[in-house]
Structure formats: structure tokens, C-alpha cells
Amino acid sequence: MNVNGIPYKTVWMEGSSVFHIEQNKLPFEFAVYEAKTYQQSCFAISSMIVRGAGAIGASAGFAMAQAFLSAPTNARQEYLLNARKEIEATRPTARNLFFATEKVFEAGQISVENAVACAQKLAHDNDADGEKIGILGNELIQDGFRIETHCNAGWLGFVDWGSALAPIYKAHQSGKKIFVYADETRPRSQGARLTAWEMVQAGIEHRIIPDNAGAYLMAQGKVDLMIVGADRIARNGDTANKIGTLEKAIAAQYYGVPFYVAAPFSTFDLGCPDGAHIPIEERSEEEVLTQTGPDADGKIRTIRVCAPESKAINPAFDVTPASLIKGIITERGIIKPNEKEILKIAQHDR
Ligand code: MRU
């Protein structure tokens, strides 16, 4: 996707360095973070310099490749197993992370070059899958549609294209007049800060809405379609996504708004029977108690927005039951959220 007219990927590897668009600085500043070691890539993931299931997966694959590049000849396998453990401990919910470390770890048993090639291929597939999701999802979008989305599942959440926003890009590029509601998505405000910024870059008409405005707009008949991304999809179709998604799905069902999930096959966890088994990340309460943005001098500051004595709880994701999801848009087709259909697309070879 283009940033001020220049094409970028969200994460890429050159030599032994991994480069990430610094998402904590957006939309106030555009910067790139260079991770020279797998430990620095771990830092990029855990501190959310890079975020979003797909981008985390690509970054984790590259981090695993970096570990192969730096592994000593002595106690090599022990070093690699520890590195894998460290990478996998950065964020627990995004399935794509574990998908990538497993594939690159296996590839690296043949050679270091093979590990790097595998990580590059995963990043390439991540990008290509997003475009296919965009093409298939565009078929659900009619001219004039007003589409709500939650969090950021656009190109910043993947290597390029994204999942939930890919159909929106394709619809816009194919000349359909569309309008996007970007849920603010507290506490980290990925919708307000990232989705809205992506919409600006793409020239798509949109408004940021408070997290609690979705049901009101649906009740007024102002939402034609809702598309969200996913961090992990269980074998029965239950879907973990950014906290707040579940409320939107309940409201969407009540008001008859079609509610779709968009995700590549790398987000499906066939070993996970249902949503109750998906690990949900608890993040720092500081994220809830504070807000971050530029002050009058343009310096990014974090300020507390509640009483000093107050405490918070901060679950980063929730699980939407399959029964509330109309369909899942994957690169292998649009499917119903049930075990039979999920196992069927698992048979497809790339
Ligand atoms: O905590 P984050 O920002 O990494 O959250 C993950 C997400 O971006 C979302 O839940 C998203 O909607 C699906 S993954 C692109």
C-alpha cells in the first residue's frame, strides 16, 4: 500500500535485519524500526511496534529466521528452541505467530538459507492471501454500502492488503461508492489511529465512531455490513478478535446486519476445538488508564485520564461464537463458520 504515494510493506527482512513500520507512532509520525536481532524482533512484537495477527505472524517468522542466522555452532539446537520459546511468548492469542514459528523452525532443520526462504515465503503468502480475501469479499459489497469495522485488520495488520479491510480496498478500487465506520477501539485505539489513517491514505470516505456507537447506528439502519478480522479461529468457527468485537456481533444479529469475519487460513487453529480453549491475552492496566497523543509541541505524550486511585482490567481479545457469524472470508473461499467447512478448506493445497 502507499504512504504519501510511496509503496510500503508493514514488515520486511533485508539481510539479517527485520524492518517494521512503527505503529505506536502512527498516525502522528511515520517511522521504521529496524530489528537487528531476534530479541529486537521480539521487542517489536510485545511492545506493539508491529501488531495485528498477520503482521505479527510475518514478524515472528522473520524473528525465527534471525535466530537461525545468529545460532552458535555449539549447543545450537538448545539456542534455537529457546529462541522459539521467547518468540512464542511475545503475544499469546494471534494464531499466525505460532503458525510461522513452526514452519520456519521446521524449514531451518534443512539449512539456515531454507529458514530465511521460508520466512520470506510466509510474508509473501500473507500479502497474496490478503489480496484474494479482498477479491472474494468485494462480492459481498454493493455500491453505496456503509460498512463498519472494529480495530485494525487492514494492511498494517498484515504484510499488505489486510483481511477485513482488503474487500473495502477492492470495492473502492473497483469504483463502488462506499463509506466506512471505523470503531475507535479503546484502549489502544487501533481503529481511530490506524484504520482511519489507512482510509485517509487510500482516499476512502469514513468516520471514526466511539466504540459504544455501533448498536445505535445499526438501530437506525445506517450499517449495511460489518467485517472484522480475527486473531484465532477455533475448529468450530468461534473467533477471537479485538475486545469489543463480541458486543458488535450481538448488536449486528439483533438488528439484522450481516456480520462477517475475514482471515487467512494461517489464523485457523485446527487443534483448538472451540472458543473456550483460545488463550486470551491480558495487557497492562496502564493502557486503559491512559491516553497517548501529541501535545501542543507535537511531542507524543501519555497522560492519565482517570482518578489516580482507579485500577483497570484489560483483556485484549474476546471470543465471538460461530452462531453470530454469517461467514468467514478466507483466501480459499467464503465459508460458513462450522467444523465441516473449516476442515474442508484445510484440505486445499496452496
Ligand atoms: O492487539 P492487536 O492490535 O495486535 O490486535 C489484533 C488486531 O489487530 C485485531 O484483533 C484485528 O482485528 C485482527 S488481526 C489483523
Side-chain angles (χ1 to χ4, degrees), residues 23 48 50-56 91 94 150-154 156-158 163-164 188 190 194 228-231 240-243 245 262 281 283 316-317:
Q23 300 195 36
M48 292 175 72
V50 63
R51 46 138 302 281
I56 290 171
R91 304 250 354 237
H150 191 68
C151 194
N152 171 263
L156 288 165
F158 281 77
S163 53
R188 300 280 298 212
Q190 291 95 328
L194 304 176
V228 300
D231 294 276
N241 193 50
K242 182 52 61 188
I243 192 78
T245 304
E281 179 182 12
R283 292 190 61 87
F317 303 96

Side-chain angles (χ1 to χ4, degrees), residues 278-299:
I278 299 179
I280 299 294
E281 179 182 12
E282 273 285 339
R283 292 190 61 87
S284 153
E285 62 179 314
E286 289 308 305
E287 293 183 345
V288 180
L289 302 172
T290 61
Q291 289 261 35
T292 300
D295 64 15
D297 297 324
K299 192 164 166 25

Side-chain angles (χ1 to χ4, degrees), residues 233-238 269-274 338-340 342-343:
I233 302 175
R235 205 169 58 228
N236 71 342
D238 290 350
D269 185 355
L270 300 182
C272 178
D274 56 42
N338 61 49
E339 181 162 333
K340 195 168 155 225
I342 289 171
L343 292 180

Side-chain angles (χ1 to χ4, degrees), residues 153-221:
W155 71 274
L156 288 165
F158 281 77
V159 172
D160 208 344
W161 285 103
S163 53
L165 299 188
I168 290 171
Y169 287 127
K170 284 289 180 190
H172 177 70
Q173 288 172 5
S174 63
K176 292 176 192 165
K177 190 170 157 36
I178 50 165
F179 178 91
V180 172
Y181 297 107
D183 290 355
E184 177 189 20
T185 322
R186 277 281 286 150
R188 300 280 298 212
S189 302
Q190 291 95 328
R193 292 177 59 156
L194 304 176
T195 297
W197 182 77
E198 286 190 25
M199 294 295 107
V200 171
Q201 298 299 320
I204 298 175
E205 207 190 333
H206 65 285
R207 293 288 183 277
I208 297 164
I209 58 169
D211 283 327
N212 33 18
Y216 171 74
L217 292 165
M218 288 179 193
Q220 290 190 319

Side-chain angles (χ1 to χ4, degrees), residues 12-312:
W12 68 97
M13 186 174 185
E14 276 170 31
S16 58
S17 280
V18 182
F19 297 86
H20 305 85
I21 291 182
E22 227 296 16
Q23 300 195 36
N24 288 324
K25 294 191 173 161
L26 285 172
F28 315 113
E29 192 183 319
F30 183 79
V32 172
Y33 172 81
E34 178 180 0
K36 294 187 172 161
T37 61
Y38 86 80
Q39 291 93 340
Q40 288 174 353
S41 288
C42 287
F43 170 74
I45 299 171
S46 58
S47 64
M48 292 175 72
I49 286 171
V50 63
R51 46 138 302 281
I56 290 171
S59 185
F62 286 142
M64 197 68 249
Q66 282 178 308
F68 275 96
L69 286 167
S70 60
T73 35
N74 280 350
R76 186 174 174 78
Q77 198 64 3
E78 192 187 340
Y79 175 95
L80 289 165
L81 284 168
N82 277 335
R84 180 172 172 181
K85 225 189 258 169
E86 269 179 68
I87 299 164
E88 292 183 344
T90 51
R91 304 250 354 237
T93 304
R95 166 65 193 154
N96 311 55
L97 187 159
F98 303 88
F99 178 88
T101 49
E102 186 185 328
K103 293 256 184 254
V104 178
F105 189 84
E106 273 170 20
Q109 302 309 315
I110 297 171
S111 68
V112 175
E113 295 70 32
N114 205 43
V116 175
C118 176
Q120 293 286 12
K121 178 169 178 344
L122 289 177
H124 172 269
D125 291 348
N126 175 309
D127 183 347
D129 291 347
E131 181 162 19
K132 283 186 209 147
I133 287 171
I135 293 166
L136 293 172
N138 183 16
E139 288 168 21
L140 302 170
I141 299 175
Q142 292 172 27
D143 192 33
F145 259 23
R146 295 151 301 175
I147 307 156
E148 183 174 347
T149 188
H150 191 68
C151 194
N152 171 263
W155 71 274
L156 288 165
F158 281 77
V159 172
D160 208 344
W161 285 103
S163 53
L165 299 188
I168 290 171
Y169 287 127
K170 284 289 180 190
H172 177 70
Q173 288 172 5
S174 63
K176 292 176 192 165
K177 190 170 157 36
I178 50 165
F179 178 91
V180 172
Y181 297 107
D183 290 355
E184 177 189 20
T185 322
R186 277 281 286 150
R188 300 280 298 212
S189 302
Q190 291 95 328
R193 292 177 59 156
L194 304 176
T195 297
W197 182 77
E198 286 190 25
M199 294 295 107
V200 171
Q201 298 299 320
I204 298 175
E205 207 190 333
H206 65 285
R207 293 288 183 277
I208 297 164
I209 58 169
D211 283 327
N212 33 18
Y216 171 74
L217 292 165
M218 288 179 193
Q220 290 190 319
K222 290 186 174 167
V223 183
D224 301 298
L225 176 68
M226 178 137 198
I227 312 179
V228 300
D231 294 276
R232 190 184 294 236
I233 302 175
R235 205 169 58 228
N236 71 342
D238 290 350
T239 296
N241 193 50
K242 182 52 61 188
I243 192 78
T245 304
L246 172 61
E247 289 180 359
K248 301 290 171 274
I250 294 168
Q253 186 172 71
Y254 188 83
Y255 289 110
V257 174
F259 182 93
Y260 281 87
V261 167
F265 188 68
S266 50
T267 306
F268 288 74
D269 185 355
L270 300 182
C272 178
D274 56 42
H277 290 83
I278 299 179
I280 299 294
E281 179 182 12
E282 273 285 339
R283 292 190 61 87
S284 153
E285 62 179 314
E286 289 308 305
E287 293 183 345
V288 180
L289 302 172
T290 61
Q291 289 261 35
T292 300
D295 64 15
D297 297 324
K299 192 164 166 25
I300 298 176
R301 291 192 191 280
T302 297
I303 56 161
R304 198 171 168 102
V305 289
C306 51
E309 302 80 12
S310 292
K311 294 198 171 301

